[in-house]
Amino acid sequence: MIRQHLRVWTGEQKLVTSSFFFWNAGRIALQKSQEGLLRSMLYQVLRRCPALISKAFPGHWFSHVSGGVNAGSSLDFLSISELLAAFERVATALESSKVKLFFLIDGLDEYEGKPDDVIHLIQLLTFSRQVKICVSSRPWNEFEKVYGQDASRKLYMESLTRQDIASYVRDTLEKDPSYQDLEEEASHALNLVQDIVNAAQGVFLWVFLVVRSLLEGLTNADRIIDLQRRLRLLPTDLNEYFKRMLFTIDKFYREQTAQMFQVTLVAREILPLMSYWFLHQNDSKLPFKLSVEPPSMQRTNVRLKQMRKRLNACCKGLLEVQFYDSSNHNDSSLSSSVLFNWKVDFLHRTVRDFLILPDMQTMLDEWAGDDFNADKVICEAILCQIKSAPQEEEYLRSDGPISNLAHTMKYHAEALKGDLDHQQDGVLLVQELDQTIRKQKEVMGLTMEELSAGLNSRLVEESQG
């Protein structure tokens, strides 16, 4: 639909689209700031229309082509006003270049500043008839006031996803034998699907969580009236739902729960499931006393099975084991996949958003314990996993999983420099890491020489025979 309208608007002119998503949970300021929006949009436009670079930054362009004093000057330190001025010059140049721009800006509610600031910025970007912008946000009052007054120019996601949600709920429940039995006995069972759709307000994650709760009830032989009561008792606000899930966790596990959440929040990269197993050994000496050799695959599988169960007990599905693989084979049964591609991540990014709220951070800090340092335990867990990895070339090459983990570990060891209590820990862990990788490469080199010698011996024997 949007593409059709855009084609009518552009006619024979070239259309350039660019997009940006404000992400409040991002660790980089550019992911949630005006500067990040402007830089990203300009980059996308100028990449598609390089002829406009000289128009956007005439001073830098002139210095570059003339080889002047500022020829090597950087665009890194441009202010918001300078970036806006560049946009204005681009928009002016568009009038004669037969190019139109379409900007898609998502997540206005995740902008780090005041809503009025980002609203004002968007107004500044629409000064040209060559520019159209589509924005999206949660229905905050500030955005409803500016963008929600004209019903013909807005869409609510719940209106578009209503039928899809109904199909998902109906199909999922009807696959359950217990629900099939209930449908035969209770004609009002179908009302349950409609009740879920009405309460969902277009939020698929909430629907997923509710259906999962209902399936648990069906496992316990819940009646239709029990399922309807379950639905009434479940909060429709996601944050309230997450909070309720947290407080259903056995108090015995709360320390482990908080530590796993904090590690997942802080980790620079999504960590393998095996790293979480080592994390839960709760032994700061283990990274130093563990020998450099892989355990049997049978023992590895037992450990991973244990950790999956522990995740379920401690996190109630808010953390999930997911398969990540950038290679083409995508085979989750390979040893490399078992060790490195099964990773732990949040059920959904909204779980991360919920856990970084100030009151939730305070609670997790209390549960985790005063001595807990996420960067330190991440370093320890990664080092243990590297020590127990198979000593084979595919793991140790520069783009292999061990190198990637080592890079992540050094990042967190660097972060320990800011903690006076753990500065020395970071130094010692990195030293142990370097010794471990050096030892693994030495072993691998020896093994490769032996294989080469054995192969040459067999070739000689075959030639003589």
Side-chain angles (χ1 to χ4, degrees):
M1 181 70 73
I2 291 178
R3 292 183 183 277
Q4 293 174 359
H5 287 297
L6 287 173
R7 278 196 290 268
V8 172
W9 174 56
T10 56
E12 298 299 320
Q13 296 186 358
K14 178 180 179 180
L15 175 66
V16 175
T17 62
S18 60
S19 60
F20 185 81
F21 175 65
F22 285 107
W23 188 32
N24 189 258
R27 296 189 179 91
I28 302 172
L30 292 177
Q31 294 175 289
K32 46 193 172 182
S33 65
Q34 292 187 36
E35 182 186 357
L37 168 68
L38 292 172
R39 284 185 175 277
S40 177
M41 292 296 195
L42 272 172
Y43 171 76
Q44 293 175 67
V45 171
L46 297 179
R47 186 179 182 184
R48 290 282 306 279
C49 303
L52 294 174
I53 296 176
S54 61
K55 307 293 184 182
F57 303 105
H60 289 81
W61 181 260
F62 177 77
S63 296
H64 175 73
V65 297
S66 64
V69 177
N70 296 319
S73 61
S74 171
L75 298 175
D76 291 344
F77 303 106
L78 292 175
S79 65
I80 298 294
S81 59
E82 288 173 319
L83 290 168
L84 278 171
F87 254 115
E88 186 172 359
R89 289 190 289 269
V90 167
T92 301
L94 290 177
E95 297 287 348
S96 58
S97 62
K98 295 185 178 181
V99 175
K100 289 189 174 182
L101 304 180
F102 174 62
F103 297 150
L104 180 60
I105 305 174
D106 193 7
L108 297 186
D109 50 293
E110 301 210 25
Y111 167 65
E112 68 175 349
K114 296 179 180 179
D116 287 344
D117 294 340
V118 75
I119 289 171
H120 179 63
L121 175 63
I122 291 169
Q123 289 172 337
L124 293 176
L125 293 177
T126 55
F127 54 79
S128 170
R129 290 178 301 175
Q130 301 295 103
V131 178
K132 283 189 179 293
I133 298 181
C134 177
V135 298
S136 69
S137 165
R138 293 183 177 94
W140 288 9
N141 291 335
E142 297 89 342
F143 301 126
E144 281 285 339
K145 179 181 177 181
V146 179
Y147 305 118
Q149 300 304 308
D150 186 350
S152 66
R153 302 183 66 182
K154 68 177 181 179
L155 293 170
Y156 288 106
M157 287 301 297
E158 55 264 38
S159 301
L160 300 175
T161 59
R162 187 178 182 87
Q163 189 56 49
D164 292 333
I165 288 175
S167 298
Y168 168 76
V169 175
R170 189 179 302 108
D171 293 346
T172 305
L173 290 179
E174 288 181 351
K175 289 178 183 177
D176 187 277
S178 298
Y179 185 79
Q180 295 170 10
D181 294 340
L182 288 177
E183 276 190 306
E184 292 181 2
E185 295 188 8
S187 58
H188 57 287
L190 293 176
N191 294 337
L192 184 65
V193 174
Q194 198 60 44
D195 291 342
I196 295 172
V197 174
N198 292 336
Q201 297 183 334
V203 182
F204 253 107
L205 177 60
W206 183 85
V207 174
F208 169 79
L209 295 170
V210 166
V211 170
R212 188 169 68 179
S213 175
L214 296 182
L215 291 174
E216 291 173 0
L218 289 168
T219 301
N220 297 328
D222 278 6
R223 302 162 296 174
I224 284 292
I225 57 173
D226 297 322
L227 298 176
Q228 291 172 330
R229 182 167 176 268
R230 271 181 181 267
L231 180 59
R232 288 195 302 271
L233 291 175
L234 293 173
T236 54
D237 178 79
L238 271 180
N239 283 352
E240 289 300 318
Y241 199 122
F242 294 150
K243 188 175 292 186
R244 173 173 292 197
M245 291 173 71
L246 273 182
F247 282 99
T248 62
I249 296 170
D250 192 320
K251 290 183 179 179
F252 179 80
Y253 295 125
R254 282 184 178 176
E255 180 180 70
Q256 298 171 52
T257 298
Q259 291 179 1
M260 278 196 279
F261 282 144
Q262 294 287 49
V263 163
T264 313
L265 285 170
V266 169
R268 186 178 187 230
E269 303 289 343
I270 302 172
L271 297 177
L273 178 60
M274 181 55 72
S275 290
Y276 281 78
W277 186 88
F278 284 113
L279 183 154
H280 272 271
Q281 299 315 297
N282 198 27
D283 182 358
S284 60
K285 295 180 180 179
L286 183 61
F288 301 96
K289 64 185 181 184
L290 193 67
S291 58
V292 183
E293 61 177 324
S296 67
M297 205 61 204
Q298 181 180 6
R299 176 174 292 184
T300 296
N301 286 326
V302 168
R303 290 175 175 179
L304 293 175
K305 184 177 180 180
Q306 290 173 344
M307 197 59 229
R308 285 175 184 269
K309 289 183 178 179
R310 184 55 62 95
L311 275 173
N312 289 334
C314 294
C315 301
K316 294 296 183 182
L318 294 179
L319 286 181
E320 282 193 333
V321 181
Q322 303 173 19
F323 187 74
Y324 292 83
D325 188 11
S326 58
S327 66
N328 293 324
H329 56 71
N330 198 35
D331 188 346
S332 61
S333 65
L334 297 175
S335 60
S336 58
S337 297
V338 170
L339 289 168
F340 300 107
N341 297 122
W342 285 109
K343 300 185 179 184
V344 177
D345 200 3
F346 291 107
L347 168 69
H348 190 266
R349 60 177 300 273
T350 52
V351 178
R352 173 185 284 275
D353 296 342
F354 165 67
L355 292 175
I356 62 175
L357 293 173
D359 59 331
M360 295 310 303
Q361 280 293 291
T362 300
M363 188 188 79
L364 291 179
D365 286 342
E366 292 175 356
W367 285 9
D370 295 336
D371 297 332
F372 181 74
N373 182 290
D375 290 303
K376 178 173 178 285
V377 300
I378 288 172
C379 289
E380 293 171 348
I382 288 178
L383 179 53
C384 287
Q385 178 159 7
I386 289 175
K387 279 193 165 188
S388 58
Q391 296 170 28
E392 300 172 10
E393 185 179 9
E394 67 169 295
Y395 299 100
L396 287 164
R397 62 175 183 258
S398 60
D399 62 342
I402 288 180
S403 295
N404 293 335
L405 280 176
H407 182 70
T408 300
M409 178 183 161
K410 288 188 175 182
Y411 169 87
H412 288 284
E414 187 69 20
L416 288 175
K417 290 182 178 179
D419 188 332
L420 294 177
D421 294 331
H422 296 292
Q423 284 180 344
Q424 188 62 21
D425 292 325
V427 173
L428 294 175
L429 285 163
V430 170
Q431 288 176 352
E432 186 71 15
L433 170 68
D434 291 339
Q435 292 175 11
T436 298
I437 292 180
R438 186 162 52 249
K439 186 179 297 186
Q440 287 177 321
K441 288 185 176 180
E442 288 173 357
V443 171
M444 185 189 74
L446 178 61
T447 302
M448 294 299 289
E449 289 174 4
E450 291 174 345
L451 287 173
S452 178
L455 177 59
N456 289 335
S457 176
R458 286 196 299 273
L459 290 173
V460 169
E461 291 175 0
E462 290 173 2
S463 65
Q464 290 176 345

